[in-house]
């Protein structure tokens, strides 16, 4: 899952990024209002964590901009002020949650998971796609009741496919979602083919239907429409 953390307090930003990355999230960062605005206009995220009190603007305006795009991105507002007015305004314009500093990173993580479950998987902690059963919190994947071994990127790719079923996903979108700010270090997208091929092979060898469809010259689509 891909996160954007918008926070101008350098120490808090570093601690938050380190913790979330250790929990398996792909994280990007922004330290100013302008940088945050540029990123939400250019890229898609599963969840944005935005400080209200940025040095060059109000984080609530970022939320308004994000929601004006009809985005299904989850939003958590964080603030040093325990202001009821700020909280009400933030929730009214589309934020999913509000945290007052200081907060425990484990609580932030719990709220992120709750938002992602609600937005991506109808609030379920476990994900079922026909014979495929996924437990995101323990990173387990079962096919017909038998667990299969996936690498971290293969697991993230499967979650991304299922949450975007029947959509054509370009190689660029896949790289951006799974690698975030590190996508520019790749010389080509050949490694995407390797990850998709390995995931596809493991699912099929475990008895799953072949749901991964290659869209020539574009990317991939994860669909069960042809299986019905």
């Amino acid at each position: 899952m891909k996160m954007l953390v918008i926070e101008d307090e350098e120490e808090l930003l570093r601690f938050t990024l380190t913790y979330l990355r250790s929990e398996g999230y792909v994280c990007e960062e922004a330290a100013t209002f302008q940088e945050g605005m540029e990123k939400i206009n250019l890229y898609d995220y599963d969840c944005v964590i935005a400080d209200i009190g940025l040095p060059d603007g109000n984080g609530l305006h970022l939320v308004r901009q994000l929601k004006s795009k009809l985005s299904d991105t989850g939003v958590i507002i964080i603030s040093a002020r325990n202001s009821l007015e700020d909280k009400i305004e933030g929730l009214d314009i589309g934020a999913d949650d509000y945290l007052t500093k200081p907060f425990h990173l484990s609580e932030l993580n719990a709220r992120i998971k709750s938002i992602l479950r609600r937005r991506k998987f109808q609030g379920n902690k476990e994900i079922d796609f026909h014979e495929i059963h996924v437990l995101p919190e323990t990173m387990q994947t079962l096919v017909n009741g038998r667990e299969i071994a996936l690498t971290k990127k293969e697991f993230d790719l499967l979650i991304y496919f299922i949450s975007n079923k029947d959509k054509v996903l370009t190689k660029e979108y896949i790289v951006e979602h799974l690698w975030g700010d590190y996508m520019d270090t790749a010389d080509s997208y050949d490694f995407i083919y390797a990850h998709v091929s390995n995931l596809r092979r493991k699912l099929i060898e475990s008895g799953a239907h072949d749901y991964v469809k290659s869209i020539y010259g574009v990317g991939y689509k994860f669909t069960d429409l042809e299986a019905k």
Side-chain angles (χ1 to χ4, degrees):
M1 295 297 179
K2 186 180 176 187
M3 309 286 126
L4 173 62
V5 182
I6 308 171
E7 171 59 61
D8 65 307
E9 293 183 33
E10 185 175 351
E11 187 174 28
L12 177 58
L13 178 61
R14 294 298 158 212
F15 281 141
T16 302
L17 290 172
T18 299
Y19 176 81
L20 293 179
R21 285 168 178 157
S22 73
E23 290 293 307
Y25 298 106
V26 174
C27 296
E28 296 187 4
E29 62 187 271
T32 65
F33 175 90
Q34 186 60 40
E35 189 178 0
M37 186 67 78
E38 290 174 359
K39 291 208 167 188
I40 65 172
N41 283 327
L42 286 173
Y43 307 114
D44 293 322
Y45 300 93
D46 293 300
C47 188
V48 171
I49 302 159
D51 189 4
I52 286 181
L54 297 169
D56 56 337
N58 190 316
L60 292 176
H61 297 319
L62 289 168
V63 180
R64 288 192 185 92
Q65 175 63 19
L66 188 62
K67 294 305 175 180
S68 72
K69 299 166 52 180
L70 301 179
S71 170
D72 65 351
T73 299
V75 178
I76 297 176
I77 291 174
I78 56 177
S79 174
R81 299 180 299 175
N82 188 16
S83 166
L84 180 60
E85 291 77 14
D86 285 342
K87 184 178 296 186
I88 291 174
E89 182 179 0
L91 296 174
D92 278 347
I93 63 177
D96 296 275
D97 213 335
Y98 187 106
L99 271 175
T100 303
K101 299 178 184 178
F103 53 84
H104 292 287
L105 291 173
S106 58
E107 180 182 3
L108 174 63
N109 189 30
R111 297 195 185 203
I112 291 171
K113 289 180 178 179
S114 176
I115 290 170
L116 294 178
R117 286 196 303 267
R118 188 164 66 248
R119 287 189 168 272
K120 299 290 185 181
F121 305 111
Q122 295 76 51
N124 297 317
K125 287 190 175 183
E126 301 180 4
I127 305 163
D128 286 303
F129 189 86
H130 299 294
E131 67 274 22
I132 302 172
H133 183 69
V134 183
L135 295 85
E137 294 191 6
T138 57
M139 288 186 60
Q140 291 176 284
T141 303
L142 296 88
V143 175
N144 293 319
R146 297 180 61 183
E147 186 171 356
I148 64 173
L150 299 180
T151 66
K152 176 66 168 60
K153 287 303 180 188
E154 290 165 0
F155 183 85
D156 290 344
L157 184 58
L158 177 60
I159 293 289
Y160 188 48
F161 274 148
I162 293 176
S163 62
N164 291 279
K165 67 175 183 174
D166 300 326
K167 296 179 182 178
V168 175
L169 301 174
T170 67
K171 295 177 182 178
E172 291 82 0
Y173 279 152
I174 294 172
V175 172
E176 176 197 316
H177 189 86
L178 298 184
W179 277 267
D181 283 337
Y182 298 99
M183 63 184 291
D184 293 334
T185 62
D187 294 328
S188 71
Y189 292 141
D190 290 345
F191 63 100
I192 286 294
Y193 172 79
H195 284 295
V196 173
S197 179
N198 287 337
L199 172 62
R200 189 178 194 173
R201 174 180 53 80
K202 290 180 180 181
L203 291 174
I204 293 173
E205 288 178 351
S206 300
H209 184 82
D210 184 10
Y211 298 114
V212 181
K213 308 302 177 186
S214 298
I215 309 299
Y216 182 76
V218 180
Y220 302 92
K221 179 166 67 172
F222 193 85
T223 180
D224 60 355
L225 296 181
E226 297 177 28
K228 294 179 179 178

